[in-house]
């Protein structure tokens, strides 16, 4: 028994020794034959991996350093470093979207140094898509008796014998107006007998205006503000036109010095007062959209125009503005980005909270846009924003630019007077056909000094909280504007749900 046990142990030890010898022998043979080659390959492999990792880390550090410098320069109050920040770049837009940069309230505008050295283009921009644009001038009132809604009949009461300024555009006509063709005829306000009548002496004066700076005061809730830093060249080149209604004209005469020239033209400082009689809408805010959006219709000979709201004091030479925002980038339309909102649904929610119009009508307006496929703004749209700051608009009056203005106004005429809600819709409908420049909000705030309104305008319809309230008090409804909200819509809006909105700013 003991002998068997000893033999077992001895055999296991022998096998172990043989296995170790075989292993060592094999290893020795492998090391003798392959060790130098294997070591070299391993060294190169490890070196290459380290090189790639080191290079990647260095590139990441460089990119991070550049991004950090970009963020710092965009936030810097030093003019030299602030000028290095390209706020038009995709990088800045990406950083802004990610919340890594907070745009300053004001920032330097990269305008040319001397307006006297600005070279004005000798040729107008080429008309590529729309060669001829004409306007529908005769209104075709809709038979109220054919409509089933009593609110619709109430809304258009009194408009059957008198044409509407914006016309009774049908849903089919609206749809056709967005189909780009070389020759187009669209609704664009100024229907015969629709109001906004200009005196003959003013019609003659504006015929000579090729370059226009326009503003407007309605319902006497702003005072005139004289622009500053205007060069002699711009004073000679531009017509400074202030569009007013009769109430505002009387207010200006009482509170400012108005001079009358030899042909009866009325002036307050540099501004030539242009009186529009027979206001087309009940709502003064809607009346103010006529000169703002339809500048090309009021001043048909104008080649370039700059619109500024009546509460603003222009502090930058207009020739420098045209060079910066139109000619430098070969744009035909420029407008500022909204400070707080990018989606029209965000802006609509803000309008409801601030009681800028009847809440149920704003909701109905937005439901129509949702039904027609307008998505909330997102970076994939390829635009800075769907919501502008509309207080400054720069335009070259090309056929396509004029068409955009007409379509924008038609939405304001059909729905709510909040033009910022309609801007993004028209941009979405025209898509790649309409190119425009949306510049940073901080530059917008550097163009003017903002003055408070003399009084806050308010209308009864702004306080309506529900459709039931409007049914009980149909006298609140505008009689000549927003009729698209009361005309039977050719689609089922009952199942439309508005996109959820997150409030992105306390101020918004």
């Amino acid at each position: 028994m003991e002998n068997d046990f000893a033999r077992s142990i001895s055999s296991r030890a022998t096998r172990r020794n043989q296995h170790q010898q075989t292993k060592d022998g094999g290893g020795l043979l492998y090391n003798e034959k392959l060790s130098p080659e294997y070591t070299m390959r391993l060294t190169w492999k490890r070196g290459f991996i380290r090189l790639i990792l080191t290079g990647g880390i260095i590139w990441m550090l460089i990119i991070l350093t550049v991004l950090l410098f970009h963020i710092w320069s965009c936030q810097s109050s030093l003019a030299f470093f602030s000028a290095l920040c390209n706020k038009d770049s995709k990088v800045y837009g990406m950083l802004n979207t990610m919340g890594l940069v907070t745009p300053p309230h004001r920032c330097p505008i990269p305008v040319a140094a001397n307006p006297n050295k600005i070279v004005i283009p000798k040729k107008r921009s080429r008309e590529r898509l729309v060669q001829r644009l004409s306007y529908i001038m005769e209104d075709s009132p809709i038979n109220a008796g054919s409509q089933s809604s009593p609110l619709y009949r109430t809304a258009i009461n009194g408009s059957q014998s008198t044409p509407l300024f914006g016309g009774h555009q049908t849903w089919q006509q609206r749809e056709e107006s967005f189909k780009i063709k070389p020759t187009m005829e669209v609704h664009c306000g100024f229907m015969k007998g629709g109001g906004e009548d200009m005196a003959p002496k003013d019609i003659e004066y504006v015929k000579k205006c090729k370059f226009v700076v326009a503003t407007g005061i309605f319902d006497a809730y702003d005072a005139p503000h004289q622009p500053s830093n205007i060069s002699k060249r711009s004073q000679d080149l531009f017509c400074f036109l202030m569009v007013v209604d009769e109430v505002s004209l009387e207010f200006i005469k009482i509170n400012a010095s108005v001079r009358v020239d030899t042909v009866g033209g009325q002036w307050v400082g540099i501004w030539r007062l242009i009186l529009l009689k027979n206001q087309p809408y009940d709502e003064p805010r809607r009346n103010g959209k006529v000169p703002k959006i339809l500048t090309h219709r009021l001043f048909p000979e104008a080649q370039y125009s700059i619109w500024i709201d009546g509460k603003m004091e222009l502090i930058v030479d207009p020739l420098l503005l045209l060079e910066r925002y139109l000619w430098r980038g070969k744009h035909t339309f420029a407008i500022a980005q909204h400070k707080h909102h990018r989606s029209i649904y965000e802006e609509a929610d803000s309008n409801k909270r601030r009681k800028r119009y009847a809440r149920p009508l704003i909701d109905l307006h937005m439901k129509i846009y949702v039904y027609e496929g307008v998505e909330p703004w997102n970076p994939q749209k390829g635009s800075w924003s769907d919501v502008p700051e509309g207080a400054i608009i720069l335009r070259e009056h090309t056929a396509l630019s004029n068409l955009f203005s007409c379509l924008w106004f038609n939405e304001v005429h059909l729905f709510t007077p909040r033009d910022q809600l309609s801007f993004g819709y028209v941009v979405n409908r025209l898509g790649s056909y309409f190119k425009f420049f949306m510049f940073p909000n901080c530059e917008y705030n550097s163009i003017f000094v903002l003055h408070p309104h003399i009084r806050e305008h308010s209308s009864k319809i702004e306080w309506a909280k529900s459709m039931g309230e409007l049914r009980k008090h149909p006298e609140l409804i505008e009689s000549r504007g927003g009729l698209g909200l009361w005309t039977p819509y050719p689609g089922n809006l009952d199942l439309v749900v508005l996109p959820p909105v997150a409030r992105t700013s306390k101020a918004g």
Side-chain angles (χ1 to χ4, degrees):
M1 188 74 175
E2 292 178 358
N3 291 335
D4 293 339
F5 180 72
R7 282 195 299 272
S8 176
I9 293 176
S10 177
S11 65
R12 283 200 300 270
T14 302
R15 286 196 300 269
R16 189 183 303 114
N17 291 334
Q18 290 175 350
H19 176 74
Q20 185 68 36
Q21 289 175 2
T22 304
K23 180 179 179 181
D24 291 344
L28 180 63
L29 180 63
Y30 180 83
N31 287 337
E32 288 176 351
K33 292 183 177 180
L34 300 179
S35 180
E37 182 181 353
Y38 176 77
T39 302
M40 183 63 69
R41 287 181 180 179
L42 186 62
T43 302
W44 275 101
K45 184 177 181 180
R46 289 176 178 174
F48 181 75
I49 292 174
R50 287 172 181 169
L51 179 65
I52 293 296
L53 291 175
T54 303
I57 291 172
I58 292 173
W59 271 110
M60 289 176 65
L61 289 174
I62 292 174
I63 293 171
L64 182 61
T65 302
V66 172
L67 286 175
L68 289 174
F69 178 78
H70 194 70
I71 294 172
W72 178 80
S73 66
C74 292
Q75 306 292 102
S76 176
S77 59
L78 301 176
F80 174 77
F81 291 107
S82 180
L84 296 178
C85 174
N86 180 11
K87 298 180 179 66
D88 300 334
S89 70
K90 295 293 184 182
V91 174
Y92 183 84
M94 178 187 68
L95 295 174
N96 190 18
T97 301
M98 296 169 62
L100 297 178
V101 295
T102 303
H105 179 68
R106 294 179 183 271
C107 60
I109 309 174
V111 293
N114 188 351
N116 294 318
K117 294 183 179 180
I118 297 296
V119 178
I120 299 174
K122 294 181 179 180
K123 294 182 179 180
R124 305 286 303 279
S125 295
R126 184 180 174 185
E127 305 282 9
R128 292 183 174 86
L129 298 173
V130 181
Q131 279 81 46
R132 184 174 181 273
L133 179 66
S134 58
Y135 311 113
I136 297 171
M137 300 296 294
E138 296 286 348
D139 193 10
S140 300
I142 299 172
N143 181 9
S146 65
Q147 306 298 330
S148 58
S149 170
L151 280 177
Y152 175 80
R153 290 194 291 272
T154 300
I156 64 173
N157 183 32
S159 67
Q160 297 307 293
S161 59
T162 303
L164 289 178
F165 174 80
H168 290 84
Q169 185 186 38
T170 66
W171 294 112
Q172 183 59 37
Q173 288 173 324
R174 174 176 176 262
E175 187 64 28
E176 288 295 321
S177 67
F178 287 100
K179 298 177 181 178
I180 301 297
K181 299 183 287 290
T183 300
M184 299 187 67
E185 184 181 36
V186 297
H187 285 79
C188 199
F190 293 94
M191 294 291 172
K192 292 180 180 178
E196 294 290 54
D197 302 319
M198 191 187 301
K201 64 178 183 294
D202 293 329
I203 293 175
E204 287 301 313
Y205 179 81
V206 301
K207 281 182 179 179
K208 70 174 187 177
C209 298
K210 305 295 183 183
F211 292 75
V212 168
V213 176
T215 188
I217 297 177
F218 289 82
D219 205 30
Y221 61 93
D222 286 306
H225 304 292
Q226 297 302 316
S228 56
N229 303 315
I230 309 300
S231 65
K232 180 63 168 61
R233 185 185 184 191
S234 288
Q235 291 181 38
D236 295 337
L237 182 66
F238 284 85
C239 292
F240 291 81
L241 306 175
M242 178 173 287
V243 182
V244 296
D245 58 6
E246 292 174 299
V247 175
S248 300
L249 181 59
E250 292 304 313
F251 173 81
I252 292 171
K253 286 181 176 179
I254 294 172
N255 294 278
S257 177
V258 176
R259 65 181 178 87
V260 180
D261 61 23
T262 55
V263 295
Q266 301 180 86
W267 299 76
V268 54
I270 200 173
W271 296 106
R272 168 68 181 248
L273 299 176
I274 305 295
L275 173 63
L276 298 181
K277 293 184 177 181
N278 302 318
Q279 293 303 301
Y281 299 110
D282 311 329
E283 172 65 56
R285 278 201 178 107
R286 204 184 288 269
N287 288 325
K289 306 309 181 213
V290 175
K292 173 180 178 176
I293 302 178
L294 299 184
T295 313
H296 67 287
R297 297 298 316 275
L298 270 178
F299 315 123
E301 300 303 320
Q303 297 177 4
Y304 298 94
S305 71
I306 301 173
W307 167 266
I308 62 172
D309 278 359
K311 62 185 177 182
M312 298 162 61
E313 174 191 335
L314 183 66
I315 59 174
V316 180
D317 189 283
L319 197 55
L320 297 180
L321 293 178
L322 289 183
E323 191 281 328
R324 158 69 178 114
Y325 295 113
L326 296 186
W327 301 332
R328 189 181 303 181
K330 297 183 179 180
H331 303 292
T332 61
F333 191 104
I335 197 167
Q337 179 181 333
H338 195 279
K339 184 175 183 180
H340 302 296
H341 305 139
R342 295 194 175 190
S343 168
I344 61 174
Y345 303 111
E346 283 184 290
E347 178 66 14
D349 182 70
S350 174
N351 275 256
K352 289 193 295 181
R353 283 188 281 104
R354 299 166 70 187
K355 296 182 175 64
R356 296 306 190 194
Y357 202 65
R359 297 177 188 178
L361 298 184
I362 291 178
D363 281 342
L364 181 56
H365 186 181
M366 293 298 98
K367 282 187 176 183
I368 291 173
Y369 285 175
V370 171
Y371 183 87
E372 296 183 353
V374 180
E375 297 287 338
W377 182 89
N378 61 75
Q380 283 69 43
K381 279 194 170 185
S383 62
W384 289 110
S385 172
D386 283 343
V387 184
E389 287 281 9
I392 293 181
I393 308 172
L394 303 98
R395 281 170 283 210
E396 179 184 359
H397 292 177
T398 64
L400 185 58
S401 175
N402 292 344
L403 173 65
F404 177 86
S405 296
C406 291
L407 299 179
W408 185 15
F409 178 80
N410 290 342
E411 296 298 295
V412 172
H413 171 71
L414 278 172
F415 303 120
T416 67
R418 309 308 305 175
D419 57 271
Q420 289 164 307
L421 302 180
S422 302
F423 180 89
Y425 171 80
V426 179
V427 168
N428 275 266
R429 286 298 304 267
L430 293 182
S432 61
Y433 290 121
F434 181 66
K435 304 291 187 182
F436 67 100
F437 179 31
M438 181 169 275
F439 54 92
N441 186 270
C442 62
E443 290 187 22
Y444 157 85
N445 284 310
S446 299
I447 295 174
F448 63 88
V449 174
L450 181 63
H451 296 273
H453 292 307
I454 292 183
R455 61 181 177 83
E456 277 298 326
H457 166 74
S458 179
S459 63
K460 294 179 180 179
I461 195 170
E462 293 178 352
W463 297 89
K465 298 178 181 178
S466 67
M467 294 298 286
E469 187 176 351
L470 290 172
R471 292 187 182 94
K472 285 184 179 179
H473 303 282
E475 69 276 6
L476 299 179
I477 301 171
E478 292 183 73
S479 64
R480 293 175 289 173
L483 300 190
L485 298 169
W486 306 108
T487 307
Y489 183 72
N492 184 8
L493 302 176
D494 294 338
L495 301 179
V496 174
V497 178
L498 293 176
V501 174
R503 187 174 181 183
T504 56
S505 167
K506 293 181 179 179

